[in-house]
Amino acid sequence: MRKIIIAGNWKMFKTQAESLDFLKELLPKIADDHEEREVVLCTPFTDLGLMSKSLHGTRIRLGAQNIHWEDEGAFTGEISGSMLTEMGVRYVIVGHSERRQYFGETNATVNQRLKAAQRHNLIPILCVGESKAQRDAGETEAIIFEQLAKGLVDIDQNALVIAYEPIWAIGTGETCDAIEANRVIGLIREKLTNKNVTIQYGGSVKPANVDEIMAQPEIDGALVGGASLEAESFARLVKHV
Ligand code: PGA
């Protein structure tokens, strides 16, 4: 049985005060709903300590947005696995397209970060996906297969989540057609040795399209940016039909 995981990626949004306000509004809305679904919030590093305390005893699991591959060292601006686990973090996003695009993340560094996450018993959410130009050039499958082949070297597929996030659908309001997202996710699953890995879709998931997306047989959850910032809309995603 594959686990359904609805994860919010807050990116560089929400101060501690704002994260508390959000939580107060969200918790009663999702308290008793589909308890078998995993709900994750990947917050900025600065929110993790407070959120960890505030999430104690709730159904929500804490996630981070990045992890460095070394356990400690002279890496200004980076965060280590033990710093995250000390905060009660359980999940960490690795290889988000914004990290690849703006911060020089490569398939090789993604692989190192995935290994570090697993070494620290964190579950990495590996993001893969193609750009608009790559899709138009018919390279979607090749790009994703390369991201998987290079990213997953020596990675334990029993402690892994994958998110298919077509870059052209992220933050644009333009969703990948649910049938097409299902097709690509099916292709990703074919490449895995563990067929039970949770594979999410990400890219403009919102209340208006979540039911159609989650109705697809290959899609096991959503990684959500914009619509995870408002309690009302995020609760609706957790409660998808
Ligand atoms: P979006 O972001 O939901 O705002 O498109 C998704 C993501 O970047 O994970």
Side-chain angles (χ1 to χ4, degrees):
M1 204 38 195
R2 304 194 312 250
K3 195 189 265 186
I4 300 291
I5 305 178
I6 304 295
N9 170 14
W10 281 0
K11 309 192 180 186
M12 199 174 71
F13 290 97
K14 293 199 189 298
T15 62
Q16 293 189 60
E18 289 165 343
S19 70
L20 273 190
D21 287 346
F22 172 93
L23 209 55
K24 268 188 214 130
E25 203 186 329
L26 177 71
L27 283 171
K29 291 187 196 297
I30 61 165
D32 307 317
D33 198 273
H34 289 93
E35 283 163 9
E36 74 290 355
R37 295 178 183 167
E38 185 96 314
V39 182
V40 180
L41 288 174
C42 300
T43 77
F45 293 130
T46 48
D47 292 340
L48 290 175
L50 178 66
M51 287 297 271
S52 177
K53 290 193 191 90
S54 312
L55 292 178
H56 196 75
T58 76
R59 65 179 295 186
I60 303 175
R61 302 279 169 260
L62 191 56
Q65 299 172 18
N66 198 10
I67 177 175
H68 195 261
W69 52 84
E70 293 294 342
D71 292 341
E72 60 182 8
F75 301 103
T76 302
E78 291 283 330
I79 298 277
S80 75
S82 47
M83 292 169 184
L84 297 178
T85 52
E86 186 184 45
M87 296 282 191
V89 171
R90 307 277 282 273
Y91 289 86
V92 59
I93 298 172
V94 174
H96 191 279
S97 61
E98 287 151 14
R99 298 291 318 168
R100 295 179 192 256
Q101 196 178 343
Y102 305 131
F103 301 100
E105 202 79 73
T106 65
N107 287 324
T109 58
V110 165
N111 176 250
Q112 286 180 290
R113 292 186 201 269
L114 289 171
K115 282 185 189 149
Q118 293 194 332
R119 203 164 61 237
H120 289 276
N121 293 320
L122 293 161
I123 299 179
I125 302 175
L126 165 64
C127 300
V128 298
E130 80 289 356
S131 68
K132 178 86 171 72
Q134 289 162 338
R135 174 160 282 264
D136 291 347
E139 294 168 2
T140 298
E141 289 81 359
I143 289 293
I144 292 169
F145 292 165
E146 187 184 8
Q147 289 170 337
L148 292 173
K150 294 187 173 160
L152 290 179
V153 174
D154 295 330
I155 295 304
D156 177 4
Q157 296 189 7
N158 294 308
L160 174 73
V161 173
I162 294 178
Y164 169 53
E165 297 209 311
I167 298 170
W168 47 271
I170 294 178
T172 57
E174 195 183 331
T175 331
C176 181
D177 177 74
I179 307 276
E180 172 61 6
N182 187 66
R183 184 188 73 84
V184 176
I185 289 176
L187 294 176
I188 292 172
R189 197 177 303 286
E190 278 175 22
K191 293 284 173 192
L192 301 178
T193 49
N194 176 9
K195 306 296 177 201
N196 289 323
V197 169
T198 292
I199 309 182
Q200 302 171 307
Y201 167 77
S204 298
V205 177
K206 48 191 175 236
N209 60 26
V210 68
D211 297 335
E212 191 191 0
I213 290 165
M214 289 306 299
Q216 302 301 317
E218 293 289 349
I219 303 182
D220 306 324
L223 182 58
V224 188
S228 75
L229 294 172
E230 300 292 334
E232 182 80 39
S233 57
F234 189 62
R236 174 66 182 83
L237 304 185
V238 173
K239 299 197 266 195
H240 65 264
V241 180

